[in-house]
Amino acid sequence: MQLPFVSVVVPTYNRVGLLLQLLESLPKQTYPKDRFEVVIVDDGSTDETEQVFRAFAQTAPFSVVYLRQPRKGPAAARNLGIRHSRGEIVAFADSDVTVAEDWITNAVKYFENGVDGVEGKTEPRGGETPFAHRAHNLKGGQFLT
């Protein structure tokens, strides 16, 4: 049985330093390199995002795609990435994360059993992310903290 082809879609905007960290973590994937691609969607960055991507693409052990759109936000960037992806499974990674070596391998296992979506464990990077992280549970229409 052939493993499914996975498209990793990454929206980014002016995060060249963080994006580089993500790009450096992707070649370490245990999933076969010929069974996934990386689709970077530049959401109108004004930094060196395109140049960093081009340098990365020269040595990447998997297929890479670079798309650019005028600033429309991460949701529009993800949708553009989906439209240009080839994967049977689409995985999203934000440009401010790094992924574990078995990230794709572990996610694909769930799809073999008919699961439609999977979210992996995420951990904030402390002061490196601009958002405060709080967990909420929905019970009876109210958020509990």
Side-chain angles (χ1 to χ4, degrees), residues 87-110:
E88 300 161 63
I89 297 173
V90 176
F92 296 114
D94 288 334
S95 58
D96 64 345
V97 304
T98 56
V99 293
E101 292 176 3
D102 57 357
W103 177 60
I104 297 174
T105 299
N106 284 334
V108 166
K109 291 177 187 175
Y110 291 95

Side-chain angles (χ1 to χ4, degrees), residues 25-87:
S25 72
L26 288 168
K28 299 174 187 171
Q29 289 299 297
T30 58
Y31 202 70
K33 308 301 184 268
D34 64 338
R35 300 304 304 153
F36 75 95
E37 69 178 348
V38 175
V39 180
I40 303 292
V41 184
D42 184 342
D43 191 36
S45 294
T46 57
D47 62 9
E48 297 80 31
T49 295
E50 184 173 0
Q51 293 87 342
V52 165
F53 175 81
R54 299 280 177 215
F56 171 77
Q58 292 178 2
T59 61
F62 41 75
S63 175
V64 292
V65 176
Y66 176 82
L67 304 169
R68 183 172 171 86
Q69 68 177 18
R71 183 97 169 101
K72 295 181 182 179
R78 286 184 189 97
N79 288 333
L80 179 63
I82 291 169
R83 285 193 301 275
H84 290 272
S85 67
R86 299 180 293 140

